[in-house]
Amino acid sequence: MRMKKTYIYMMLLGAALWMGSCTKEEPVMPNEEPKEEMQKPYVEGELIVKFSAEAAAIVEQQEATRAGVVTRSGVGSVDEVLDLIGSYELERVFPRVATAEEQTREAELDRWYVVRFSDEYTTEEVAARLEKLGEVQRVNLNHTIKRAYTGKATPLSREKLDRMMQQSRATTMNDPLAPMQWNMINDGTMFTSGEIVKSVKDADVQVEKAWSRTMGNETVIVAVLDEGVDFTHPDLAANMWVNRDEIAGSKVDNDNNGYAGDVHGYNFIKDVGTITTNDLYDSGHGSHVAGVISAVNNNGEGVSSIAGGNGSQGGVRIMSCQVFSGNLSGTSLQVVRAIKYAADNGAVVLQCSWGFISGSANIYDWGSQGPRTQEEFEAYAPLEKAALDYFVRYAGSPNGPIDGGIAVFAAGNESADMAGYPGASDDYVSVAGTAADFTGAVYTNYGFGTSISAPGGDQDYYYDYVDENHNYGEVGCILSTLPMSKSETGYGYMEGTSMACPHVSGVLALGISYAADQRRPFKAEELQKLLIESATPIDSYQTGTKLYMRYTADLGPIQPMQLNLSALRGGMGSGQVNAEAFLAAIDGGGVELKFPNIYLGTGAVAVVSPALYFVDGEQLSYTLSIQNPQVASFREMAGLYYLQGLAEGQTQATVTASNGQSQHFMITVRRGAGGNGWL
């Protein structure tokens, strides 16, 4: 990054940040001065720097412990500059993890360090000095991820919930609130009253028919970078990711992944393994997002979700990477650590309802504008870009349903004609928001950088809708799970591109589940392309004038407004995400998954699950034979095979399923091999 940039970018998160909840903020009139920043958009006294390879090797030698803090870099020119500014310390950005260190170094993420220093000099002054050094390749401000406003969700009261359940009609799922989820299954009648028609049949994510192929696969993990997810929620608990090698509440890193106590994810804000949702100023957004993706389906409880399985089986898993908590602002450091953590711990979809303000945002409303080009984005946030690229490249596995990862971002809620970065980059997916009639939501960003659209809710548009349960415009928002500490029922409404975003993450997770079920691996870029190409065209709905009512939190509807929908035509990405078409496009694609060849050190053990390599493998039993038992042996336990290298050499092995199908593979054993596993 070059510190000489004069503009200030502001990162925003989801419903609590983009205009994401059904609570509104005060409008800013055009004759007012631009809003002042209440605090600096970066952390004072800290910089994140990337050293040259030679300098990084010297700094590494200075580290007293694994990922430890040191008070000298060992690089003469760097220490000379830092000595002038007073006391300082350095810490590697990403903790060392043995299983991921090779790829960390390949991606050059090992060369990034946090430099903390006294307040004798400003952060800008220190950055300017460090930038002049040849040993320092990049300087990154530790950006503050700031909330746009303090809007909350609209919780569903017990009275309304009881009334809804009494009047609930039959749907594909037995979840009592499913009929209120127009975003999942839209029959076109929910927002139709007399001559007023604000709903179109199938203006949803087309998931109902997709469920006939799969309802989710528990081997697929979605990392939710957001507020914490309520892992005790009765509609979420069964589908939470569980790190079985860790101990809840532990201050010791039991599984050596660099983080202690991370059973359901990690709280990067407070640097602890305990995920929280009960801060006074939490909005519940993380749990709301998780419910859209993988609330447990068909459990007779609450809402349905896109990839939540069937009953207690088959739902994709939610990993909570907490980058917000109450009024505590996340930082670049916390976000990039969360991104890498997700990749290193098995997540394949990165759910990010945040991003920089659009480069076309109205400066009077938003106080600043974000990057307008890929070049500006990479110059402003090089570490964020590097971490995201690490996820895209190293998440997943060649031996799993997806090789690489897919990052999904909200396009933003500034009504601007370009999406915000990082989502605007071609490398990731950026999601615009729609209403229940395929029209663009009144707040959504669109145009340049927008990949696809999805239901995001539009309360301002449905201001005149009141149903038999005394729900007002909020039913035009997205109904999903809320932390039990934030709602007497555990459910409520939110809106925004931050809500559109998890619909796409959920559909992606459903598609990856289908690839897993079919044992047909894909490259991440292949699935991302199929997702975009299979969308439902919606340009024909972006016509005429859309009337809506501007709200404020205190006064309610105060100002009639209108949106020229033709401005959105051609700007809502490839169309609305379509789960049925996406899964159909996956069918028969990819490559046939084969049992992998095994590479072992003498005495080392590799654990393999044959069920992963046969269609409907979980319903089959297996036998395994090794041609030369002098080279390797095996034992079976609970459906897993433990293969041990005995002597140097190579031998063929065969695994045979109870349906008669067989697969051959090679076992190679070498003395002093650097590890064990796939060849």
Side-chain angles (χ1 to χ4, degrees):
M1 186 202 99
R2 289 293 170 262
M3 309 298 295
K4 302 176 182 65
K5 295 282 185 183
T6 56
Y7 42 70
I8 295 175
Y9 301 147
M10 189 166 68
M11 286 187 92
L12 305 174
L13 173 77
L17 307 145
W18 294 127
M19 219 161 96
S21 81
C22 288
T23 304
K24 304 298 171 186
E25 59 180 335
E26 291 286 348
V28 177
M29 303 310 292
N31 61 350
E32 292 184 17
E33 292 297 317
K35 297 176 182 177
E36 269 189 39
E37 294 293 324
M38 298 304 293
Q39 66 182 85
K40 289 188 176 181
Y42 55 85
V43 178
E44 280 282 18
E46 288 187 7
L47 287 169
I48 308 175
V49 301
K50 182 182 182 183
F51 289 113
S52 67
E54 297 77 14
I58 296 173
V59 177
E60 187 172 9
Q61 292 175 4
Q62 300 294 310
E63 291 184 276
T65 61
R66 182 171 66 89
V69 175
V70 295
T71 56
R72 301 286 294 177
S73 74
V75 181
S77 61
V78 174
D79 288 335
E80 183 178 352
V81 167
L82 294 177
D83 282 340
L84 292 174
I85 66 173
S87 59
Y88 63 94
E89 63 182 29
L90 298 91
E91 177 187 10
R92 204 172 95 149
V93 168
F94 302 104
R96 286 176 177 78
V97 179
T99 55
E101 187 64 14
E102 182 179 350
Q103 61 197 39
T104 301
R105 291 178 178 275
E106 186 176 329
E108 300 182 355
L109 293 184
D110 62 304
R111 290 159 53 183
W112 287 92
Y113 280 77
V114 187
V115 182
R116 300 184 178 94
F117 43 88
S118 64
D119 59 1
E120 185 175 345
Y121 290 85
T122 68
T123 301
E124 293 94 333
E125 289 171 330
V126 177
R129 293 180 183 228
L130 288 175
E131 280 191 315
K132 296 177 182 178
L133 303 180
E135 295 82 357
V136 176
Q137 289 191 345
R138 304 300 294 264
V139 177
N140 202 112
L141 289 171
N142 191 10
H143 307 296
T144 303
I145 305 175
K146 303 177 69 176
R147 297 174 185 270
Y149 71 108
T150 57
K152 301 281 186 178
T154 301
L156 186 62
S157 68
R158 174 61 60 184
E159 179 185 0
K160 286 187 178 181
L161 175 62
D162 291 343
R163 191 180 295 116
M164 286 180 182
M165 293 179 67
Q166 291 170 6
Q167 299 174 357
S168 183
R169 65 184 185 277
T171 62
T172 302
M173 299 294 182
N174 67 10
D175 306 298
L177 294 179
M180 303 302 296
Q181 295 181 273
W182 58 267
N183 47 308
M184 300 291 177
I185 302 175
N186 187 347
D187 65 4
T189 65
M190 187 169 175
F191 302 109
T192 299
S193 177
E195 296 182 358
I196 300 175
V197 179
K198 294 185 177 181
S199 184
V200 171
K201 188 177 186 301
D202 295 332
D204 48 36
V205 294
Q206 291 294 289
V207 75
E208 188 172 20
K209 291 181 180 178
W211 282 332
S212 66
R213 296 177 186 265
T214 186
M215 295 182 72
N217 187 303
E218 61 187 28
T219 65
V220 178
I221 303 169
V222 179
V224 174
L225 274 65
D226 210 301
E227 289 182 6
V229 177
D230 184 358
F231 55 87
T232 67
H233 195 290
D235 225 0
L236 295 173
N239 284 348
M240 291 299 298
W241 173 71
V242 179
N243 181 0
R244 301 193 185 281
D245 296 324
E246 193 49 86
I247 300 171
S250 176
K251 295 183 179 179
V252 177
D253 180 13
N254 297 280
D255 61 348
N256 296 315
N257 73 345
Y259 297 90
D262 55 319
V263 174
H264 297 296
Y266 197 74
N267 185 335
F268 291 90
I269 287 290
K270 298 182 179 179
D271 197 19
V272 296
T274 303
I275 304 297
T276 63
T277 60
N278 59 356
D279 188 281
L280 177 63
Y281 296 103
D282 279 341
S283 70
H285 189 265
S287 300
H288 206 268
V289 161
V292 171
I293 299 168
S294 195
V296 180
N297 286 327
N298 248 0
N299 63 343
E301 180 88 39
V303 295
S304 298
S305 70
I306 295 171
N310 191 0
S312 60
Q313 296 182 340
V316 304
R317 295 314 192 229
I318 298 295
M319 175 190 290
S320 182
C321 295
Q322 187 171 354
V323 294
F324 270 79
S325 179
N327 280 338
L328 294 178
S329 295
T331 65
S332 294
L333 182 61
Q334 292 156 348
V335 166
V336 298
R337 283 175 170 167
I339 293 169
K340 188 174 186 296
Y341 173 92
D344 291 344
N345 288 279
V348 292
V349 176
L350 205 64
Q351 158 57 35
C352 305
S353 284
W354 47 266
F356 294 110
I357 288 177
S358 168
S360 295
N362 186 330
I363 197 168
Y364 287 96
D365 285 340
W366 297 95
S368 63
Q369 292 178 329
R372 294 189 61 85
T373 65
Q374 183 75 14
E375 182 181 18
E376 284 188 6
F377 163 56
E378 293 183 12
Y380 181 72
L383 179 55
E384 289 91 329
K385 177 67 164 58
L388 285 166
D389 288 348
Y390 179 93
F391 183 88
V392 168
R393 179 175 180 182
Y394 294 108
S397 166
N399 299 300
I402 180 171
D403 185 7
I406 301 177
V408 186
F409 287 88
N413 297 351
E414 299 93 50
S415 303
D417 61 358
M418 70 170 286
Y421 281 94
S425 171
D426 289 341
D427 298 324
Y428 323 124
V429 178
S430 178
V431 188
T434 60
D437 58 0
F438 281 130
T439 60
V442 299
Y443 51 76
T444 190
N445 289 351
Y446 58 96
F448 173 81
T450 305
S451 308
I452 200 166
S453 297
D458 200 349
Q459 185 182 22
D460 289 358
Y461 180 44
Y462 295 105
Y463 69 94
D464 56 352
Y465 179 80
V466 183
D467 68 9
E468 67 275 11
N469 298 311
H470 307 291
N471 291 304
Y472 293 83
E474 68 263 21
V475 293
C477 298
I478 304 301
L479 178 61
S480 186
T481 48
L482 287 175
M484 301 305 294
S485 61
K486 297 296 176 183
S487 167
E488 62 179 338
T489 62
Y491 301 93
Y493 295 95
M494 286 186 168
E495 69 172 0
T497 57
S498 64
M499 285 293 103
C501 187
H503 287 82
V504 173
S505 295
V507 170
L508 269 170
L510 196 69
I512 298 168
S513 296
Y514 188 52
D517 294 344
Q518 298 297 305
R519 308 306 194 255
R520 306 287 300 186
F522 284 79
K523 295 284 188 182
E525 58 266 27
E526 293 175 318
L527 283 179
Q528 185 167 319
K529 185 171 183 286
L530 290 178
L531 174 85
I532 303 303
E533 291 178 346
S534 61
T536 300
I538 60 173
D539 268 357
S540 62
Y541 295 92
Q542 315 309 318
T543 58
T545 300
K546 184 171 184 174
L547 303 177
Y548 64 100
M549 186 69 72
R550 176 67 62 86
Y551 276 73
T552 68
D554 297 328
L555 301 177
I558 61 166
Q559 184 179 5
M561 305 286 287
Q562 61 183 30
L563 170 67
N564 178 11
L565 285 170
S566 63
L568 278 58
R569 196 176 306 137
M572 299 296 287
S574 60
Q576 184 137 302
V577 64
N578 186 320
E580 180 190 1
F582 179 45
L583 268 60
I586 289 172
D587 204 5
V591 296
E592 185 179 357
L593 186 61
K594 295 292 187 181
F595 200 93
N597 294 325
I598 305 296
Y599 178 67
L600 287 169
T602 52
V605 175
V607 183
V608 294
S609 172
L612 298 176
Y613 304 98
F614 293 82
V615 176
D616 295 326
E618 292 79 8
Q619 281 72 54
L620 304 174
S621 58
Y622 304 90
T623 58
L624 189 145
S625 62
I626 296 177
Q627 192 174 81
N628 186 350
Q630 304 301 313
V631 173
S633 65
F634 71 90
R635 60 188 176 90
E636 188 271 338
M637 184 183 300
L640 300 175
Y641 282 92
Y642 294 76
L643 301 168
Q644 183 172 18
L646 300 178
E648 285 193 294
Q650 192 173 62
T651 181
Q652 181 173 287
T654 302
V655 59
T656 302
S658 56
N659 63 2
Q661 294 181 342
S662 295
Q663 293 194 43
H664 305 291
F665 63 99
M666 298 300 297
I667 301 175
T668 302
V669 180
R670 294 285 181 265
R671 188 186 306 276
N676 60 75
W678 316 128
L679 179 63

